[in-house]
Amino acid sequence: MTIRAGVVGHPVSHSLSPLIHTAWIKAAGLNAEYGLFDVPPDDFAAFIAAQRGGVLLGVNVTVPHKEAALACATHVRLAARAAGAANLLLFEADGTIIADNTDGLGLLGALHEQAVFSVKGKTATVLGAGGAARGAVAALTDAGAARIWVVNRTLERARALEGLGPVKATGWIKSTDAFLEADVVINATTLGLGGGPGPHAPLGMTQPGCVVMDMVYRPLETQLLAEARRLRRPAVDGLAMLIGQARPSFAALYGRDPDLMVDVRGLALKALGEKG
Ligand code: NAP
């Protein structure tokens, strides 16, 4: 029997997940398919209900369904609960729907992989307070960050994250300390997407070794990362995070780790039209 899984979003045609998972499926010699499911918000709950009992093995969930995915689950794992969102739903044969969130692992993995950075005991500055920022704050807290600044245009949204960990919320105008103290700056806003202007982050104020990460990966080299490189700060890109969240998703779906020898980053860069 073909093992079926996929990614559900709206729109979703741009997703790199099928490319990444299919490369790992082929390398593992699995009889499996990983598809794309474009489901509008109004149809999401019905789509998920139809998969109950194992029609699909599971789905990765992307924008705009990550919060709704949590509500559809019968069992919510800790990472998803902390993030207030799920990027992975697993459908058990007995009808159980498990919600999990591997974005945090992707974020921490990317920081380690591209900057050999561990956040334990460090100060992190997260730009943005939406779903991705919430997941980042939960993961950074879990990994032992000493302090997490959340800088956001809408101060109330930043304040809403204060209960998640050692968070200090601020607006952009009073964000100087957030940059002076940062060991890592993470862009979790949508600014920079599609080559647009990035966040107005005064990276020149940060300490020389401060790591700069951008969750945005279209384009891969955002204005923020270009500025980080100009200032000789270690830079971490959003594709490393995307691949980092896909690895535990694959393991959860197919019961085995993906083959690390498969150059999924190379494949993704080709699809993005960027040089490696
Ligand atoms: P979201 O919930 O819509 O949040 C958007 C955030 O951006 C909010 O904090 C918003 O501030 C801020 N923002 C938007 N426009 C702004 C502007 N003009 N000026 C200042 N702030 C602005 O989005 P999300 O789901 O958290 O996603 C955020 C980013 O992370 C996206 O680019 C997404 O693609 C990326 N992401 C990447 C990965 C990966 O694997 N690489 C995984 C998850 C997400 P307000 O609160 O003031 O509106």
Side-chain angles (χ1 to χ4, degrees), residues 67 79-80 82-85 101 103-105 107-108 126 129-142 161 164 188 215 241:
E67 280 86 11
N101 196 316
D103 278 341
L105 287 175
L107 169 74
L108 300 173
V126 176
R134 174 174 279 273
V137 167
L140 294 165
T141 299
D142 199 40
L161 303 190
L164 280 181
M215 288 198 192
M241 175 173 170

Side-chain angles (χ1 to χ4, degrees), residues 63 66 103 128-133 152-154 157 172 187-191 193 215-217 238-239 241-242 245:
V63 179
K66 287 186 179 184
D103 278 341
N152 197 45
R153 176 178 61 177
T154 311
R157 278 188 98 187
W172 279 94
N187 178 32
T189 73
T190 45
L191 292 167
L193 254 181
M215 288 198 192
V216 171
Y217 59 87
L239 182 56
M241 175 173 170
L242 184 81
Q245 65 75 33

Side-chain angles (χ1 to χ4, degrees), residues 175-177 179-181 202-207 231 233:
S175 64
T176 305
D177 286 349
F179 290 95
L180 287 174
E181 292 176 12
L203 295 184
M205 279 187 183
T206 59
Q207 310 157 40
L231 293 166
R233 303 293 192 268

Side-chain angles (χ1 to χ4, degrees), residues 14-91:
H14 62 282
S15 173
L16 292 173
S17 293
L19 180 83
I20 293 169
H21 281 262
T22 302
W24 287 332
I25 285 168
K26 278 191 186 154
L30 292 172
N31 179 19
E33 269 171 25
Y34 187 97
L36 271 177
F37 304 102
D38 191 335
V39 178
D42 285 351
D43 299 339
F44 182 73
F47 172 83
I48 295 303
Q51 313 311 327
R52 252 184 122 151
V55 178
L56 293 180
L57 206 63
V59 281
N60 282 118
V61 181
T62 188
V63 179
H65 301 313
K66 287 186 179 184
E67 280 86 11
L70 205 62
C72 292
T74 59
H75 177 84
V76 179
R77 289 193 179 146
L78 217 60
R81 190 176 303 286
N87 75 332
L88 178 66
L89 290 175
L90 300 167
F91 305 110

